Amino acid sequence: MVKMCLRCYQERPLDSFRKGDRELVSCAPCREYARGNSYKNRRAQPSKVRADNLWALYRIRPEEYDALREAQAYRCAICGIHESEITVGSRGRPRLDGTPNAEPFRLVVDHYHASKRVRGLLCGPCNAGLGGFRDDPALLTAAARYLLN
């Protein structure tokens, strides 16, 4: 018997959702991850902030992001630009402790909004373009036809 975790959307064995006499909505790996990811720990370690953001928004770990980058040869999945050629704008607010901000990631995660399933990594302009067309293939096709006229 399996049950879907409401945090990671993965099917896990039922015993992963039990704690004593209670039945929980999140699986054991998600609960373990949340315990080690408190606000205090996040503020002290920028890598924890990155890991938390990737997990909260896309349900992937930093290792999965890095593997996807490598699989795409560090290039945008649509236009093929290498991440080293992408110019990045703002690096966000200055850190409270005065240390420099981390280098921003140049390839962003693209995902299906309904299922949160990751499609790949894109440069900012390609990601914004898909968002502008609301991920609708019919609109993208119409735009391509328009450009070809």
Side-chain angles (χ1 to χ4, degrees):
M1 236 22 230
V2 294
K3 177 179 175 180
M4 182 173 290
C5 175
L6 296 180
R7 284 193 181 175
C8 67
Y9 305 108
Q10 300 289 322
E11 288 189 348
R12 309 267 187 195
L14 275 179
D15 61 345
S16 182
F17 295 91
R18 298 206 195 305
K19 186 173 184 180
D21 293 333
R22 298 182 316 170
E23 193 159 322
L24 305 169
V25 296
S26 59
C27 64
C30 285
R31 292 193 311 275
E32 181 181 328
Y33 181 80
R35 274 195 295 274
N37 205 23
S38 69
Y39 179 75
K40 182 179 176 183
N41 289 342
R42 288 181 58 225
R43 293 282 296 183
Q45 300 172 354
S47 63
K48 275 238 180 251
V49 174
R50 174 183 178 231
D52 186 45
N53 287 339
L54 285 172
W55 183 255
L57 296 170
Y58 312 112
R59 298 295 188 231
I60 63 172
R61 308 249 188 262
E63 299 79 25
E64 294 170 284
Y65 174 90
D66 294 337
L68 194 52
R69 267 177 72 218
E70 189 174 337
Q72 289 183 201
Y74 306 94
R75 296 184 173 278
C76 172
I78 292 178
C79 71
I81 189 171
H82 193 275
E83 67 179 5
S84 64
E85 300 170 36
I86 300 170
T87 57
V88 178
S90 170
R91 291 182 59 185
R93 293 187 312 238
R95 292 177 49 100
L96 293 176
D97 62 4
T99 59
N101 289 350
E103 182 66 26
F105 290 92
R106 298 175 189 280
L107 293 174
V108 297
V109 178
D110 177 48
H111 66 288
Y112 292 99
H113 289 96
S115 67
K116 300 210 179 208
R117 188 175 67 81
V118 173
R119 288 188 279 224
L121 302 177
L122 304 177
C123 66
C126 287
N127 190 48
L130 285 183
F133 286 103
R134 299 182 297 277
D135 296 340
D136 186 342
L139 286 176
L140 285 166
T141 303
R145 270 195 308 270
Y146 172 80
L147 286 174
L148 292 171
N149 287 331

